[in-house]
């Protein structure tokens, strides 16, 4: 995932079929998207701290990102 601090646009690289769930700091799901591309863009409109939960093949990763305005 890069960058980890942005104005709302993040690039997630995975191994084919990848699901990205965006969670706010309280754990509430903000959005979810699934892609079978190796790379996908995740956009978050509102400033704050978020967790990206990335499910790819047999692996799950959680990454903290910060959206600034």
């Amino acid at each position: 995932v890069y960058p980890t601090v942005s104005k709302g646009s993040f690039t997630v690289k995975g191994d084919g079929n990848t699901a990205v769930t965006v969670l706010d700091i309280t754990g509430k799901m903000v959005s979810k998207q699934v892609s079978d591309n190796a790379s996908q863009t995740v956009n978050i409109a509102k400033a704050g701290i978020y967790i990206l939960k990335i499910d790819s093949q047999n692996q799950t990763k959680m990454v903290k990102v910060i959206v600034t305005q």
Side-chain angles (χ1 to χ4, degrees):
V1 175
Y2 63 90
T4 54
V5 177
S6 122
K7 293 191 183 229
S9 183
F10 301 92
T11 301
V12 177
K13 291 193 173 189
D15 299 330
N17 191 13
T18 303
V20 179
T21 306
V22 179
L23 307 169
D24 68 11
I25 198 67
T26 65
K28 180 181 171 189
M29 185 173 74
V30 175
S31 69
K32 183 174 184 173
Q33 62 188 59
V34 178
S35 175
D36 45 354
N37 296 328
S39 178
Q40 62 180 300
T41 301
V42 176
N43 293 303
I44 304 169
K46 189 174 177 185
I49 299 172
Y50 296 89
I51 304 294
L52 300 183
K53 180 181 174 196
I54 305 160
D55 295 307
S56 177
Q57 304 294 329
N58 298 327
Q59 189 175 3
T60 299
K61 185 173 184 179
M62 308 270 273
V63 178
K64 179 176 79 171
V65 295
I66 300 171
V67 176
T68 62
Q69 293 297 318

